[in-house]
Structures are given as structure tokens and as C-alpha cells.
Amino acid sequence: MSEKIVITMGDPSGVGAEVTVKALAGRDAALREQTIVIGDRDTLQRAATICGIPLPIIAPDAEGDGIRVDHVQVDDLPSKFGVLSPACGEASYRYIAHAVELTMGGETACIVTAPINKEALNAAGHHFDGHTGMLAHLTGSKSSWMLLASERLNVVHVSTHVSLRDAIGRATTERVLETIRMGHKHLRRMGLEEPRIAVAGINPHCGENGLFGNEDDVAITPAVAAAQAEGINVQGPISADTVYHRAYQGGFDLVIAQYHDQGHIPIKLVAFDTAVNVSLGLPIDRCSVDHGTAFDIAGQNKANHDNMLCALDYAAKMAKAKRG
């Protein structure tokens, strides 16, 4: 089974090319040989020049050391970084579609995605809320989940890129139960024999027995009970204002967040440069940096590539872990 990792360059105008070449330059030659970048060769060369990286840009099957690039031709890409462009949105989509094709075919084990710009993506006619929805579409998956993984705090979301009003509606017993199952399955695959899972409540203090809403009693509590009946070590609902602190202090291996900001804010606070975005529920493995395109600093050798290094390390672990 292949253990090769493929990186999609992301939006050509963003910091994706920069953090990619910096991260690969910091790995040893053997690891670089196992990694292929899908993107635009000229953009990656410009990024390497700006960052002072002497490694050559070479073809995936070329001999010798370098940054291996599977070039995908897209016309009309801007010659400067930091430019919002439909062509860049089209390029972002094509890079990901090609990576999915390779990974579904078994040629690579895991996709690592650099950031895309949702406005550019939609301007190109690809109407997705981001990587997660696009990957679900490209792989024919009915549903997927976002896990944010870091050294001391791991969070998987019941819903992500929807309004708060819609997020509350999506927190059904069925969806919460499936989220618990998915998180449990993934952590077992990654080597935790019996993951300790906490489920955050929706309302302040989990509703205070109906004083602040009954969603926790009606939807969340039955999901936790069902998961416990399946033998999963899970507790909840637990008030969101305490559960993340308890997990960070070692009380839980995973927190189930009910919506985007409830999970993202604590992760961004404690692991802004190191948290890895992992897609669960897909037939392929994918993880990503947990930051955006940063058009304001793109092409200036200012982007921090630590997050890309963390994503590559996590991808390597997934590539070695057996899918169940």
C-alpha cells in the first residue's frame, strides 16, 4: 500500500505555495521523495525564489533531490500573489480533483491541502463551502466531519460552515451520535485503545434543565446514551464553558463541538500554529493546515510554515495507520 503524500498547492495567489516549499525544504530528501505537490510549477518556483530556497522544482518521477511537482495547467493565473481571481478558484478546484483521483486510485495515501479562497472558488463556478464539502462531493460521500487535531486538544464538529441558526437545527440526535462514532473510530485507528470523549452542550450550562432551552435534553442526551450503549466511553452534554479546559488538562481525548465557532475558538487559542484540520467520514485520508490564504502577506516570505509541517506529520501517521 502506498505511503506517498500529495499536497495540493491551494489558491495560487495565497500563501499555499510559500508554506509548501518552506515545509518541504525543511524535510530530509527521503521524505521529500515520498511527497508530490499538485499545483502550478511557475507559482511554486516564484515562491521558492522569494523564500531563498535553492531546491529545484522537478517532475514527480525525476531522479535526484528536489520539490516534486505534478503540474496542472490553468490559464490566466495572475503573475502576482495576493490577487483574488476566478482563475485561481478554478486552479484550486482542479488541484483537489486531481489529488482525489490519485488517492482514490491508490497511487497516494493521503492528501494534504494548502488553503483555498472560498470567494475565488465560487467565482469559478464551484459552489462549495470549502474543502470538506468539495471532498465529500468528489468522493461521492453523503457526509463528512471536520476534526481539528492538536497535541493537547482535539475537537470534531457536528456542523461547520453554516449559520448559527442552521447549526442548532443540524444538531440532531442522529447527527450527534454519528459524530461521536466517527471521532471514536478515528482515534482508535490512530492508536488510542479507548478514547475518552466529551460532548459539549448547545445552550449555556446545557440549558439548566430547560431554563435556557431544551435542545440539550431533547437531542444531545439521547445521542450520548446511545453511544454509551454501544460501548463508547463518552460523557455529556457538558457545559461548553468548562469542557475544553477539562480536555486541555487531560480529562478527555476528544470534544464533540456542536458548531463551528464553539470548536474553533478554543483550538485557535491554544494551538493556532499547530492544529491540523482532518476530514473524517471520507473514503480517503485528508488533512490540512488550519489557516487561510492570507492574501495580505502572500509572496513576501512572511508566512509561517509550522502548520504545514504539522499537517505533513499527521498525514504520515495516517498513511501508516490501517483504515478500518
mmCIF file with all atom_site columns, all heavy atoms in Angstrom, residues 257-269:
data_model
loop_
_atom_site.group_PDB
_atom_site.id
_atom_site.type_symbol
_atom_site.label_atom_id
_atom_site.label_alt_id
_atom_site.label_comp_id
_atom_site.label_asym_id
_atom_site.label_entity_id
_atom_site.label_seq_id
_atom_site.pdbx_PDB_ins_code
_atom_site.Cartn_x
_atom_site.Cartn_y
_atom_site.Cartn_z
_atom_site.occupancy
_atom_site.B_iso_or_equiv
_atom_site.pdbx_formal_charge
_atom_site.auth_seq_id
_atom_site.auth_comp_id
_atom_site.auth_asym_id
_atom_site.auth_atom_id
_atom_site.pdbx_PDB_model_num
ATOM 1   N N   . ALA A 1 257 ? -17.846 19.247 19.365 1.00 0.00 ? 257 ALA A N   1
ATOM 2   C CA  . ALA A 1 257 ? -18.370 20.620 19.345 1.00 0.00 ? 257 ALA A CA  1
ATOM 3   C C   . ALA A 1 257 ? -19.642 20.641 18.507 1.00 0.00 ? 257 ALA A C   1
ATOM 4   O O   . ALA A 1 257 ? -19.735 19.955 17.487 1.00 0.00 ? 257 ALA A O   1
ATOM 5   C CB  . ALA A 1 257 ? -17.343 21.576 18.760 1.00 0.00 ? 257 ALA A CB  1
ATOM 6   N N   . GLN A 1 258 ? -20.599 21.443 18.918 1.00 0.00 ? 258 GLN A N   1
ATOM 7   C CA  . GLN A 1 258 ? -21.886 21.447 18.226 1.00 0.00 ? 258 GLN A CA  1
ATOM 8   C C   . GLN A 1 258 ? -21.894 22.329 16.980 1.00 0.00 ? 258 GLN A C   1
ATOM 9   O O   . GLN A 1 258 ? -22.715 22.107 16.088 1.00 0.00 ? 258 GLN A O   1
ATOM 10  C CB  . GLN A 1 258 ? -22.992 21.898 19.186 1.00 0.00 ? 258 GLN A CB  1
ATOM 11  C CG  . GLN A 1 258 ? -23.163 20.988 20.390 1.00 0.00 ? 258 GLN A CG  1
ATOM 12  C CD  . GLN A 1 258 ? -23.502 19.559 19.998 1.00 0.00 ? 258 GLN A CD  1
ATOM 13  O OE1 . GLN A 1 258 ? -24.122 19.312 18.968 1.00 0.00 ? 258 GLN A OE1 1
ATOM 14  N NE2 . GLN A 1 258 ? -23.091 18.608 20.827 1.00 0.00 ? 258 GLN A NE2 1
ATOM 15  N N   . TYR A 1 259 ? -20.990 23.312 16.901 1.00 0.00 ? 259 TYR A N   1
ATOM 16  C CA  . TYR A 1 259 ? -20.971 24.182 15.726 1.00 0.00 ? 259 TYR A CA  1
ATOM 17  C C   . TYR A 1 259 ? -19.580 24.795 15.568 1.00 0.00 ? 259 TYR A C   1
ATOM 18  O O   . TYR A 1 259 ? -18.707 24.625 16.428 1.00 0.00 ? 259 TYR A O   1
ATOM 19  C CB  . TYR A 1 259 ? -22.050 25.273 15.810 1.00 0.00 ? 259 TYR A CB  1
ATOM 20  C CG  . TYR A 1 259 ? -22.080 26.055 17.095 1.00 0.00 ? 259 TYR A CG  1
ATOM 21  C CD1 . TYR A 1 259 ? -21.319 27.215 17.260 1.00 0.00 ? 259 TYR A CD1 1
ATOM 22  C CD2 . TYR A 1 259 ? -22.868 25.639 18.168 1.00 0.00 ? 259 TYR A CD2 1
ATOM 23  C CE1 . TYR A 1 259 ? -21.352 27.935 18.434 1.00 0.00 ? 259 TYR A CE1 1
ATOM 24  C CE2 . TYR A 1 259 ? -22.903 26.358 19.361 1.00 0.00 ? 259 TYR A CE2 1
ATOM 25  C CZ  . TYR A 1 259 ? -22.142 27.507 19.486 1.00 0.00 ? 259 TYR A CZ  1
ATOM 26  O OH  . TYR A 1 259 ? -22.172 28.216 20.662 1.00 0.00 ? 259 TYR A OH  1
ATOM 27  N N   . HIS A 1 260 ? -19.382 25.486 14.460 1.00 0.00 ? 260 HIS A N   1
ATOM 28  C CA  . HIS A 1 260 ? -18.065 25.950 14.027 1.00 0.00 ? 260 HIS A CA  1
ATOM 29  C C   . HIS A 1 260 ? -17.298 26.710 15.108 1.00 0.00 ? 260 HIS A C   1
ATOM 30  O O   . HIS A 1 260 ? -16.228 26.287 15.558 1.00 0.00 ? 260 HIS A O   1
ATOM 31  C CB  . HIS A 1 260 ? -18.233 26.832 12.786 1.00 0.00 ? 260 HIS A CB  1
ATOM 32  C CG  . HIS A 1 260 ? -16.968 27.337 12.195 1.00 0.00 ? 260 HIS A CG  1
ATOM 33  N ND1 . HIS A 1 260 ? -16.272 28.420 12.711 1.00 0.00 ? 260 HIS A ND1 1
ATOM 34  C CD2 . HIS A 1 260 ? -16.255 26.920 11.103 1.00 0.00 ? 260 HIS A CD2 1
ATOM 35  C CE1 . HIS A 1 260 ? -15.203 28.638 11.982 1.00 0.00 ? 260 HIS A CE1 1
ATOM 36  N NE2 . HIS A 1 260 ? -15.163 27.750 10.987 1.00 0.00 ? 260 HIS A NE2 1
ATOM 37  N N   . ASP A 1 261 ? -17.831 27.849 15.553 1.00 0.00 ? 261 ASP A N   1
ATOM 38  C CA  . ASP A 1 261 ? -17.064 28.684 16.469 1.00 0.00 ? 261 ASP A CA  1
ATOM 39  C C   . ASP A 1 261 ? -16.887 28.048 17.843 1.00 0.00 ? 261 ASP A C   1
ATOM 40  O O   . ASP A 1 261 ? -15.880 28.294 18.513 1.00 0.00 ? 261 ASP A O   1
ATOM 41  C CB  . ASP A 1 261 ? -17.736 30.051 16.623 1.00 0.00 ? 261 ASP A CB  1
ATOM 42  C CG  . ASP A 1 261 ? -17.491 30.942 15.417 1.00 0.00 ? 261 ASP A CG  1
ATOM 43  O OD1 . ASP A 1 261 ? -16.961 30.443 14.400 1.00 0.00 ? 261 ASP A OD1 1
ATOM 44  O OD2 . ASP A 1 261 ? -17.848 32.130 15.477 1.00 0.00 ? 261 ASP A OD2 1
ATOM 45  N N   . GLN A 1 262 ? -17.836 27.220 18.248 1.00 0.00 ? 262 GLN A N   1
ATOM 46  C CA  . GLN A 1 262 ? -17.712 26.567 19.554 1.00 0.00 ? 262 GLN A CA  1
ATOM 47  C C   . GLN A 1 262 ? -16.478 25.671 19.590 1.00 0.00 ? 262 GLN A C   1
ATOM 48  O O   . GLN A 1 262 ? -15.847 25.517 20.639 1.00 0.00 ? 262 GLN A O   1
ATOM 49  C CB  . GLN A 1 262 ? -18.965 25.735 19.852 1.00 0.00 ? 262 GLN A CB  1
ATOM 50  C CG  . GLN A 1 262 ? -19.018 25.216 21.281 1.00 0.00 ? 262 GLN A CG  1
ATOM 51  C CD  . GLN A 1 262 ? -20.111 24.202 21.497 1.00 0.00 ? 262 GLN A CD  1
ATOM 52  O OE1 . GLN A 1 262 ? -20.067 23.077 20.986 1.00 0.00 ? 262 GLN A OE1 1
ATOM 53  N NE2 . GLN A 1 262 ? -21.122 24.596 22.252 1.00 0.00 ? 262 GLN A NE2 1
ATOM 54  N N   . GLY A 1 263 ? -16.114 25.091 18.460 1.00 0.00 ? 263 GLY A N   1
ATOM 55  C CA  . GLY A 1 263 ? -14.927 24.244 18.406 1.00 0.00 ? 263 GLY A CA  1
ATOM 56  C C   . GLY A 1 263 ? -13.668 24.969 17.971 1.00 0.00 ? 263 GLY A C   1
ATOM 57  O O   . GLY A 1 263 ? -12.566 24.689 18.455 1.00 0.00 ? 263 GLY A O   1
ATOM 58  N N   . HIS A 1 264 ? -13.823 25.929 17.056 1.00 0.00 ? 264 HIS A N   1
ATOM 59  C CA  . HIS A 1 264 ? -12.653 26.607 16.512 1.00 0.00 ? 264 HIS A CA  1
ATOM 60  C C   . HIS A 1 264 ? -12.000 27.572 17.499 1.00 0.00 ? 264 HIS A C   1
ATOM 61  O O   . HIS A 1 264 ? -10.765 27.675 17.534 1.00 0.00 ? 264 HIS A O   1
ATOM 62  C CB  . HIS A 1 264 ? -13.037 27.381 15.242 1.00 0.00 ? 264 HIS A CB  1
ATOM 63  C CG  . HIS A 1 264 ? -13.009 26.561 14.003 1.00 0.00 ? 264 HIS A CG  1
ATOM 64  N ND1 . HIS A 1 264 ? -13.839 25.468 13.814 1.00 0.00 ? 264 HIS A ND1 1
ATOM 65  C CD2 . HIS A 1 264 ? -12.256 26.651 12.869 1.00 0.00 ? 264 HIS A CD2 1
ATOM 66  C CE1 . HIS A 1 264 ? -13.600 24.940 12.635 1.00 0.00 ? 264 HIS A CE1 1
ATOM 67  N NE2 . HIS A 1 264 ? -12.639 25.640 12.041 1.00 0.00 ? 264 HIS A NE2 1
ATOM 68  N N   . ILE A 1 265 ? -12.799 28.274 18.261 1.00 0.00 ? 265 ILE A N   1
ATOM 69  C CA  . ILE A 1 265 ? -12.222 29.293 19.142 1.00 0.00 ? 265 ILE A CA  1
ATOM 70  C C   . ILE A 1 265 ? -11.233 28.698 20.153 1.00 0.00 ? 265 ILE A C   1
ATOM 71  O O   . ILE A 1 265 ? -10.103 29.194 20.283 1.00 0.00 ? 265 ILE A O   1
ATOM 72  C CB  . ILE A 1 265 ? -13.326 30.108 19.835 1.00 0.00 ? 265 ILE A CB  1
ATOM 73  C CG1 . ILE A 1 265 ? -14.022 31.011 18.799 1.00 0.00 ? 265 ILE A CG1 1
ATOM 74  C CG2 . ILE A 1 265 ? -12.759 30.953 20.970 1.00 0.00 ? 265 ILE A CG2 1
ATOM 75  C CD1 . ILE A 1 265 ? -15.265 31.702 19.312 1.00 0.00 ? 265 ILE A CD1 1
ATOM 76  N N   . PRO A 1 266 ? -11.585 27.631 20.882 1.00 0.00 ? 266 PRO A N   1
ATOM 77  C CA  . PRO A 1 266 ? -10.594 27.084 21.821 1.00 0.00 ? 266 PRO A CA  1
ATOM 78  C C   . PRO A 1 266 ? -9.355  26.526 21.141 1.00 0.00 ? 266 PRO A C   1
ATOM 79  O O   . PRO A 1 266 ? -8.231  26.690 21.647 1.00 0.00 ? 266 PRO A O   1
ATOM 80  C CB  . PRO A 1 266 ? -11.371 25.994 22.571 1.00 0.00 ? 266 PRO A CB  1
ATOM 81  C CG  . PRO A 1 266 ? -12.572 25.709 21.754 1.00 0.00 ? 266 PRO A CG  1
ATOM 82  C CD  . PRO A 1 266 ? -12.885 26.958 21.018 1.00 0.00 ? 266 PRO A CD  1
ATOM 83  N N   . ILE A 1 267 ? -9.534  25.887 19.989 1.00 0.00 ? 267 ILE A N   1
ATOM 84  C CA  . ILE A 1 267 ? -8.377  25.356 19.259 1.00 0.00 ? 267 ILE A CA  1
ATOM 85  C C   . ILE A 1 267 ? -7.464  26.490 18.804 1.00 0.00 ? 267 ILE A C   1
ATOM 86  O O   . ILE A 1 267 ? -6.227  26.428 18.931 1.00 0.00 ? 267 ILE A O   1
ATOM 87  C CB  . ILE A 1 267 ? -8.834  24.496 18.066 1.00 0.00 ? 267 ILE A CB  1
ATOM 88  C CG1 . ILE A 1 267 ? -9.230  23.098 18.519 1.00 0.00 ? 267 ILE A CG1 1
ATOM 89  C CG2 . ILE A 1 267 ? -7.730  24.404 17.018 1.00 0.00 ? 267 ILE A CG2 1
ATOM 90  C CD1 . ILE A 1 267 ? -8.070  22.160 18.800 1.00 0.00 ? 267 ILE A CD1 1
ATOM 91  N N   . LYS A 1 268 ? -8.056  27.530 18.246 1.00 0.00 ? 268 LYS A N   1
ATOM 92  C CA  . LYS A 1 268 ? -7.249  28.658 17.773 1.00 0.00 ? 268 LYS A CA  1
ATOM 93  C C   . LYS A 1 268 ? -6.518  29.338 18.928 1.00 0.00 ? 268 LYS A C   1
ATOM 94  O O   . LYS A 1 268 ? -5.427  29.890 18.757 1.00 0.00 ? 268 LYS A O   1
ATOM 95  C CB  . LYS A 1 268 ? -8.145  29.681 17.076 1.00 0.00 ? 268 LYS A CB  1
ATOM 96  C CG  . LYS A 1 268 ? -8.847  29.178 15.829 1.00 0.00 ? 268 LYS A CG  1
ATOM 97  C CD  . LYS A 1 268 ? -7.969  29.226 14.608 1.00 0.00 ? 268 LYS A CD  1
ATOM 98  C CE  . LYS A 1 268 ? -8.775  28.916 13.354 1.00 0.00 ? 268 LYS A CE  1
ATOM 99  N NZ  . LYS A 1 268 ? -7.979  29.028 12.128 1.00 0.00 ? 268 LYS A NZ  1
ATOM 100 N N   . LEU A 1 269 ? -7.096  29.290 20.113 1.00 0.00 ? 269 LEU A N   1
ATOM 101 C CA  . LEU A 1 269 ? -6.469  29.911 21.277 1.00 0.00 ? 269 LEU A CA  1
ATOM 102 C C   . LEU A 1 269 ? -5.241  29.145 21.729 1.00 0.00 ? 269 LEU A C   1
ATOM 103 O O   . LEU A 1 269 ? -4.200  29.739 22.028 1.00 0.00 ? 269 LEU A O   1
ATOM 104 C CB  . LEU A 1 269 ? -7.479  30.013 22.419 1.00 0.00 ? 269 LEU A CB  1
ATOM 105 C CG  . LEU A 1 269 ? -6.971  30.641 23.723 1.00 0.00 ? 269 LEU A CG  1
ATOM 106 C CD1 . LEU A 1 269 ? -6.592  32.105 23.504 1.00 0.00 ? 269 LEU A CD1 1
ATOM 107 C CD2 . LEU A 1 269 ? -8.025  30.517 24.821 1.00 0.00 ? 269 LEU A CD2 1
#
